[in-house]
Amino acid sequence: MTDGSNQLIIATKKGMALRCEETQIRSMGRNSHGVKAMTLRDGDEIVSMARVREGASVLTVSEQGYGKRTPLEEYRLQGRGGFGIRNYPVKETGNPVCGIKVVDEDDDIILISTEGIIIRVPASEIRMCGRISKGVKVMKVSDGNTVVAFTRAEHETPEDSDSEPDSDSGESSPMPEEFNSEGSEEITI
C-alpha cells in the first residue's frame, strides 16, 4: 500500500526498469483509461511494480531462476512514461525477468515454479549485484519450466518451522518439507 507520495519502480519482462514519483500518476475514477506509466518496446510487457522503502534493495528474479539484489541508489529518478533504464541483461542471457520486489535484508523470498515447486530463501543469501548483472542461481528449474511468481515474507527461523505438533489435536504439518544444501526450504505440491 502507498500513501500517494511514494516513489515506485516499474519493471518489464525484457529487463528495463523505471523509478518515478507516485504523484505523477494522478488519481482517477474506476471507468478511466489511466495514464501511461512506461513506454514499452516491441514485444515487451510490464511484469511488476514495487514501492521504494528506505534502507531496502531491489530484488530482480528471472524466469530461469537467477536473482540479484541491487541498491536503490542505482535507479535514478525519472519521469513517468519513459523507457526506463536497463535492469537485467535479457538480450545477452535470453532469460526474461519474472519480476521485482523491494526487499529488506531480513526478509525471506518465496519462489514458485511451473512444476509446482515452492522454495523459501532468506533475502540476505541473495548476492548484492550491479543493476545490469545476471545475478546468482536462486532456484533450480528443469528444462521447459520457469519461475512464475515470487513474494517477500517475514523471516522464518528453522526453530519456527520445526515446532512440534500439538499433542492434544494430533495435527501435523500439511505439506512435506525438505531442506536443500543451500539452506532454502523446498516444498513440492
Side-chain angles (χ1 to χ4, degrees):
M1 298 288 281
T2 67
D3 61 10
S5 62
N6 294 104
Q7 290 181 359
L8 306 172
I9 295 183
I10 304 163
T12 73
K13 190 171 195 156
K14 289 191 173 181
M16 301 301 286
L18 182 128
R19 180 177 180 175
C20 67
E21 294 283 351
E22 184 181 5
T23 55
Q24 294 179 336
I25 303 169
R26 64 185 176 275
S27 179
M28 297 180 180
R30 261 190 350 215
N31 297 328
S32 299
H33 187 267
V35 296
K36 182 185 256 185
M38 190 172 182
T39 301
L40 301 173
R41 292 188 168 88
D42 287 341
D44 206 358
E45 59 190 71
I46 292 177
V47 290
S48 59
M49 178 177 67
R51 179 177 51 92
V52 173
R53 291 188 320 276
E54 282 298 314
S57 58
V58 177
L59 171 67
T60 303
V61 175
S62 74
E63 289 183 355
Q64 292 176 1
Y66 286 87
K68 63 175 180 153
R69 290 183 304 132
T70 307
L72 281 164
E73 298 76 40
E74 291 197 26
Y75 298 87
R76 71 177 183 272
L77 193 61
Q78 297 177 292
R80 164 192 74 74
F83 284 104
I85 56 177
R86 257 181 98 187
N87 176 48
Y88 194 81
V90 173
K91 280 185 181 178
E92 294 83 350
T93 63
N95 185 6
V97 172
C98 174
I100 64 162
K101 299 279 183 213
V102 174
V103 299
D104 296 311
E105 190 78 18
D106 59 348
D107 287 335
D108 279 357
I109 309 303
I110 300 172
L111 299 106
I112 305 171
S113 74
T114 52
E115 299 172 288
I117 295 177
I118 302 171
I119 66 166
R120 185 180 195 122
V121 180
S124 59
E125 290 184 9
I126 301 171
R127 188 174 57 186
M128 192 72 80
C129 297
R131 200 169 31 86
I132 55 173
S133 67
K134 180 179 178 179
V136 296
K137 195 70 155 174
V138 177
M139 181 179 197
K140 293 178 185 172
V141 290
S142 58
D143 290 340
N145 292 295
T146 60
V147 175
V148 291
F150 69 101
T151 191
R152 72 185 187 102
E154 288 184 26
H155 181 66
E156 183 177 292
T157 60
E159 297 84 43
D160 295 340
S161 64
D162 288 343
S163 61
E164 291 295 317
D166 185 2
S167 58
D168 294 334
S169 68
E171 292 179 21
S172 61
S173 176
M175 292 187 187
E177 297 179 6
E178 302 170 10
F179 288 93
N180 67 24
S181 61
E182 297 164 358
S184 61
E185 183 178 336
E186 183 174 310
I187 301 171
T188 304
I189 348 181

